[in-house]
């Protein structure tokens, strides 16, 4: 059973930084693409970033390019999201995700995500 547990969210002022972590279990992490999605109040869940399992290629939503960095540690079955220069519009619940035939976020497997709130 896929389990994804996020941590590291919190309240930060605009311009600040946070580092999110996602501990994964229940599947072969080292050969799985991993990603982050976020959902702001009243909005749909949107793609933020992903990292492939092979060459560790990374992809980012235009809104976070140059500010966020995704990385992974296969030895720890953990994926990270370093968020710098945070803006109030980054406020959302952030969900970790793994990609099989499609992206499956922690929300779909009963996870809580982690709240990020950026004050202006």
């Amino acid at each position: 059973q896929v389990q994804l547990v996020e941590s590291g969210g919190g309240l930060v002022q605009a311009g600040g930084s946070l580092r999110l972590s996602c501990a994964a279990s229940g599947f072969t992490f080292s050969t799985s693409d991993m990603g982050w999605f976020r959902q702001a109040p009243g909005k749909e869940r949107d793609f933020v970033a992903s990292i492939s399992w092979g060459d560790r290629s990374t992809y980012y939503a235009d809104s976070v390019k140059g500010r966020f960095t995704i990385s992974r540690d296969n030895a720890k079955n953990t994926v990270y999201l370093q968020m710098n220069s945070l803006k109030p519009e980054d406020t959302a619940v952030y969900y970790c995700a793994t990609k099989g035939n499609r992206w499956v976020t922690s929300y779909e497997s009963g996870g809580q995500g982690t709240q990020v709130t950026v004050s202006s």
Side-chain angles (χ1 to χ4, degrees):
Q1 180 179 355
V2 172
Q3 188 168 14
L4 302 166
V5 180
E6 301 92 344
S7 61
L11 173 64
V12 64
Q13 289 188 332
S17 298
L18 284 174
R19 188 194 195 203
L20 307 184
S21 300
C22 171
S25 61
F27 63 99
T28 307
F29 180 87
S30 60
T31 57
S32 297
D33 291 351
M34 298 297 297
W36 289 91
F37 287 70
R38 67 185 181 186
Q39 187 166 19
K43 296 188 177 181
E44 294 185 350
R45 201 170 308 118
D46 291 330
F47 170 82
V48 175
S50 67
I51 183 167
S52 67
W53 68 270
D55 62 3
R56 301 199 179 195
S57 297
T58 56
Y59 302 90
Y60 298 92
D62 287 343
S63 58
V64 306
K65 278 181 183 176
R67 301 187 298 120
F68 289 12
T69 302
I70 188 171
S71 62
R72 64 190 296 160
D73 185 337
N74 287 348
K76 296 182 178 180
N77 281 12
T78 300
V79 61
Y80 304 97
L81 186 68
Q82 177 66 44
M83 305 186 296
N84 299 329
S85 302
L86 282 161
K87 304 175 181 180
E89 51 264 43
D90 294 319
T91 295
V93 178
Y94 283 71
Y95 298 96
C96 184
T98 182
K99 189 174 184 183
N101 294 326
R102 61 177 182 85
W103 284 107
V104 176
T105 69
S106 61
Y107 177 86
E108 295 172 83
S109 57
Q112 301 289 327
T114 187
Q115 176 71 48
V116 171
T117 303
V118 184
S119 63
S120 56

